[in-house]
Amino acid sequence: MDLGYTDEQKAFRDEVRAFLNDKLPKRLSDKVAGGKRLTKEDYEDWHAILNDRGWLGVNWPKEHGGTGWDAVQRHIFEEETTKAHAPRIVPFGLAMLGPVLMAFGSDAQKAHYLPRILNGDDWWCQGYSEPGAGSDLANVQTMAVRDGDDYIVNGQKTWTTLGQHANWIFCLVRTSKEGKRQEGISFLLIDMNTPGIEVRPIVLIDGEPEVNEVWFKDVRVPVGNLVGEENKGWTYAKYLLTHERTNIAGVGFARAGLSALKRIAGGQMEHGKPLIENPFFAAKVAQVEIDLMAMATTNLRTISAAAEGQAPGAESSMLKVKGTIIRQEINALTKQAVGPFAAPFISEALDEGSNVEPVGPDAAMPATQAYFNNRKLSIYGGSNEVQRAIISKTILEL
Amino acid sequence: MDFNLTEERQMLQDGLRRYLADATDHDKIAATTDGPTGLDTPLWDALTEMGLPGAMFTEDQGGFGGAGFDIMVVAEELGRAGLPTPLIDSALLSGTVIAQTRPDLVEDLVAGRILGFAHAEAGARYDLSHVTTRAERTADGWRITGTKSLVQFALAADGFVVSARTSGDVTSQDGISLFLVPGDQVTLRDYPLNGGGRAAEMTIDATLPENALLGEAGTAYTLLDTAHARATAAQCAEALGLMETIKTLTVEYLQQRKQFGQPIGKFQALQHRMADVLIEIEQARSSVINLCGNLDQPERDLHVSATKNLIGRAARLVVEESIQMHGGIGMTQEYALGHFAKRLSMIDHRFGDVDHHLERFIRLSMARAA
Ligand SMILES: Cc1cc2nc3c(=O)[nH]c(=O)nc-3n(C[C@H](O)[C@H](O)[C@H](O)COP(=O)(O)OP(=O)(O)OC[C@H]3O[C@@H](n4cnc5c(N)ncnc54)[C@H](O)[C@@H]3O)c2cc1C
């Protein structure tokens, strides 16, 4: 048992720090730290900077242009980038589709799509959920019917994160209605510029059009865009979800959130003293910090097991549940910290270069927004109820 | 002991509930919030007609209510509808002050006139005695200078009750005075609020006549405290109404939304949590009843803090559980839940949060024991 990083891991951490110090544009880290709105270009700029260094394919092997890092290195990278307020890496192409193509795609698909993901030629979005298929994902109804060398796709996807920026979508579609529901699903890559596709924004409670509905009406998709075998999509979909769940604990985000919380609560005065010295408030901050310290080790325990070749299975469900509870508690405390100024909502003030001043402390509006927005953490990627069901079935065997 | 409403109150409740169910919804509220003043004037006029501000004053004062349970009945219905109104600011905060100091103006308030309430300041957090705005005597009146924060419905008001310091240091309870300031004597920067309605930052540099002073100079703290107790009761009752609507929406959704071939309300994991939500809402109702029944009693402040703390905790549970049990749909602006959840979530950010009132409750409860 040794809780520290090895010398090698420390050297790697220093290398990441030096890189961030050198290459992370202040313009971007200021926006992230200040809770400002990030544009498509902001993400693309950051991706390009990482790609120049060869660090964009964080969980990709070297042969496909990835870093080849092990789980601990990925953890260090995540921790340092969140601490430095780097934009997050948009996961859809890099963390989700990439690994699926590597495992199940044809050589032609790998050769075509993987470099385009790294170079930023394509922005992918995830077309899994449908109005009737949320937790019950196997219920997808979007139909793909074979017609010569094409599939003709009809149906609707929803909750498609940042679909407004995307030029490609990977979809779970139904190619068969026979047998078990899971056995009639295929994994299809669809060019968003194909006629018959319509993207409609959904505004979330924090006022941001973060997700979309994507409608398909007689959309022709070449058969060559099928990944793997027809009707085997469920296997690939689940493979992808295990990758979606890497980093699910969000320890880096939680640490960044906690230090922001302490800074904000240190600046809010109450009866002439900083709020962080109020024992009632300080107790709650301390409790979440204690939870986070343990969580960080739970996370590392899971990660090191994975690094030794054991796949994190149901353990990642544990990380998801506790990790999101911790992050949501930090969000709630930050909102509490800003006090009466949690109430104003001046959307324009979140735009870069806007001359509209916020009201109250700068941290106030982003704090409320983050509180509402991060309710999603326990809903998406398999809701916390679904994760608990996995834990009780798989680990507890109940 | 009798937990039934009087006939008059029952009629007011029924009338308001029926009227508001048709007259407003979260889309209209959003449109009004984006509008110039944040107030739906025809709706406010109609509510005035139904006796809304009037029910906040006693018959002696020129109204037809004024007791804690009048406040409860009205505010709970506004909460059910998710409707922001100037009731708390104009009829309860300014209204309580006006009834004591300028009884001749109650008539206007009962008729729907909106007098904003400009007391909170940027550095005050929830400290009621924190006032930096200054009032200096001049040869023939007063000069008031300072800035106020989060003045609700400021652009819909034609005047304001403004607190200013005539003596004492920033947080001293002594030395606070109240003034009636015409709307054209202040500068406003107004903005929308989470959960609906608008508020403004206010800059005051006003020269006022002698009679702008409300009550005696330097002694307004007690009156401010009473006004805030009444406003907090209304706000807690409003929270209760919001919770009731959220409960209805969530139960309906649990019955109607199907996953894995059955209504999600059939999953025991959700049933138990919804049962907990119900229990906490019933607790919230009892607590609001405790407060409203004690609003004119010696233990008023103990109940203000007990209820505001409990409501803050229950509100967080109701907001978070209702969104979670809705899944993605609960996160959208289009669906009604989002509005109600945001409005409910903001309750803890006015008139003192859970910790503020927990601390105050401990103090008052220990004093009572001693
Ligand atoms: C902000 C956001 C972004 C998203 N981005 C994407 C995206 O890019 N691509 C994509 O495909 N999807 C995306 N999703 C969709 C997300 O994966 C779904 O919201 C999620 O799977 C839950 O489905 P649902 O919303 O239909 O809720 P439901 O499945 O209807 O669930 C409602 C409630 O019931 C509970 N529940 C369901 N089944 C059970 C059960 N058996 N036992 C106990 N409780 C149960 C759930 O936990 C939840 O609390 C996103 C969602 C959000 C909120």
Side-chain angles (χ1 to χ4, degrees), chain A residues 92 126-131 133-136 158-161 204 210-211 376 379-386, chain B residues 253 257 259-260 264 267 269-270 324-329 331:
Chain A
F92 308 108
Q126 180 186 22
Y128 272 27
S129 305
E130 295 180 6
S135 300
D136 186 10
T158 193
W159 310 123
T160 321
T161 299
L204 295 183
E210 180 176 323
V211 298
K376 73 187 176 192
I379 295 173
Y380 67 13
S383 75
N384 280 13
E385 289 71 39
V386 167
Chain B
Y253 195 74
R257 168 69 171 168
Q259 286 286 273
F260 304 101
I264 57 174
F267 299 127
L270 302 188
Q324 182 67 23
M325 288 191 271
H326 272 84
I329 205 87
M331 295 270 318

Side-chain angles (χ1 to χ4, degrees), chain B residues 37-54:
Chain B
T37 64
L39 181 70
D40 181 339
T41 307
L43 185 55
W44 177 245
D45 289 347
L47 291 170
T48 299
E49 191 93 337
M50 295 178 77
L52 212 70

Side-chain angles (χ1 to χ4, degrees), chain B residues 310-324:
Chain B
L310 187 141
I311 287 286
R313 287 184 287 128
R316 183 172 167 196
L317 179 88
V318 172
V319 165
E320 295 180 357
E321 288 289 56
S322 62
I323 293 176
Q324 182 67 23

Side-chain angles (χ1 to χ4, degrees), chain A residues 225-359:
Chain A
N225 288 15
L226 178 75
V227 174
E229 288 174 52
E230 203 177 75
N231 297 331
K232 288 277 164 61
W234 186 250
T235 317
Y236 317 146
K238 286 207 309 199
Y239 179 83
L240 181 151
L241 285 177
T242 60
H243 277 268
E244 183 177 356
R245 285 177 197 148
T246 54
N247 252 334
I248 200 91
V251 171
F253 288 112
R255 288 220 174 109
L258 182 66
S259 59
L261 165 60
K262 288 183 179 172
R263 182 174 43 75
I264 292 164
Q268 291 294 302
M269 300 303 281
E270 187 196 48
H271 313 306
K273 276 202 250 160
L275 176 65
I276 194 74
E277 290 173 21
N278 174 323
F280 292 83
F281 194 78
K284 288 192 276 197
V285 175
Q287 264 162 21
V288 77
E289 181 166 5
I290 290 166
D291 286 349
L292 177 55
M293 284 160 65
M295 178 78 225
T297 298
T298 312
N299 189 41
L300 285 171
R301 280 167 56 209
T302 317
I303 284 173
S304 357
E308 284 158 23
Q310 292 167 255
E315 290 77 15
S316 68
S317 296
M318 211 162 66
L319 298 179
K320 161 120 209 244
V321 172
K322 196 65 196 177
T324 54
I325 289 174
I326 289 173
R327 284 176 66 189
Q328 290 176 336
E329 176 66 13
I330 292 169
N331 286 138
L333 290 174
T334 311
K335 171 170 141 314
Q336 190 188 347
V338 299
F341 287 105
F345 181 70
I346 307 168
S347 181
E348 304 86 326
L350 292 169
D351 284 325
E352 183 182 20
S354 158
N355 52 11
V356 180
E357 288 282 313
V359 171

